């Protein structure tokens, strides 16, 4: 999935060296938008492991919400304890409620 954009070396001279690979991954246009939106501030990018866990947790919640799967079926499908399934669903419910406000 990692696609690298061709980036003119002259452009990279105005980009901090620690962001050169980032610019090559997202491209100049996207980088410029990120600078415009988040420039000067801190931005957190989760690790791949944390991102994968978040995707799995959201899938569990969507199975619960959209497919009406019960805790027992979710436990079997995702091979987690029922307590963990309940915690994940409660957390997602709270996030959705907070985002609706």
């Amino acid at each position: 999935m990692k696609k690298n954009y061709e980036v003119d070396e002259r452009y990279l001279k105005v980009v901090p060296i620690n962001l050169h690979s980032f610019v090559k991954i997202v491209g100049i246009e996207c980088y410029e938008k990120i600078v415009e939106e988040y420039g000067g501030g801190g931005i957190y990018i989760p690790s791949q492991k944390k991102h994968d866990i978040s995707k799995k947790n959201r899938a569990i919640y969507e199975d619960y919400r959209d497919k009406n799967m019960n805790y027992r079926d979710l436990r079997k499908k995702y091979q987690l304890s029922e307590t963990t399934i309940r915690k994940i669903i409660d957390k997602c419910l709270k996030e959705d409620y907070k985002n609706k406000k």
Side-chain angles (χ1 to χ4, degrees), residues 57-66 89 92-93 96:
N57 289 352
R58 186 48 64 166
I60 290 168
Y61 176 62
E62 289 172 0
D63 282 348
Y64 171 80
R65 185 191 64 200
D66 300 338
I89 290 170
C92 290
L93 281 167
D96 279 2

Side-chain angles (χ1 to χ4, degrees), residues 75-86:
R75 180 181 60 81
K76 287 180 182 178
K77 180 176 179 179
Y78 292 98
Q79 298 184 353
L80 296 169
S81 71
E82 187 172 321
T83 301
T84 300
I85 295 290
R86 287 180 183 274

Side-chain angles (χ1 to χ4, degrees), residues 7 10-20 23 31-32:
V7 178
R10 292 175 292 176
Y11 183 82
L12 290 177
K13 289 181 181 178
V14 300
V15 174
I17 196 159
N18 62 321
L19 294 177
H20 284 193
V23 173
Y31 175 75
E32 294 281 340

Side-chain angles (χ1 to χ4, degrees), residues 25-64:
I25 292 169
V26 301
I28 293 173
E29 185 178 329
C30 187
Y31 175 75
E32 294 281 340
K33 290 177 183 177
I34 292 168
V35 168
E36 182 180 322
E37 184 72 25
Y38 300 101
I43 182 171
Y44 169 75
I45 299 173
S47 67
Q48 185 66 51
K49 181 179 178 181
K50 178 80 171 165
H51 181 66
D52 291 343
I53 290 169
S54 294
K55 288 191 308 186
K56 181 194 66 170
N57 289 352
R58 186 48 64 166
I60 290 168
Y61 176 62
E62 289 172 0
D63 282 348
Y64 171 80

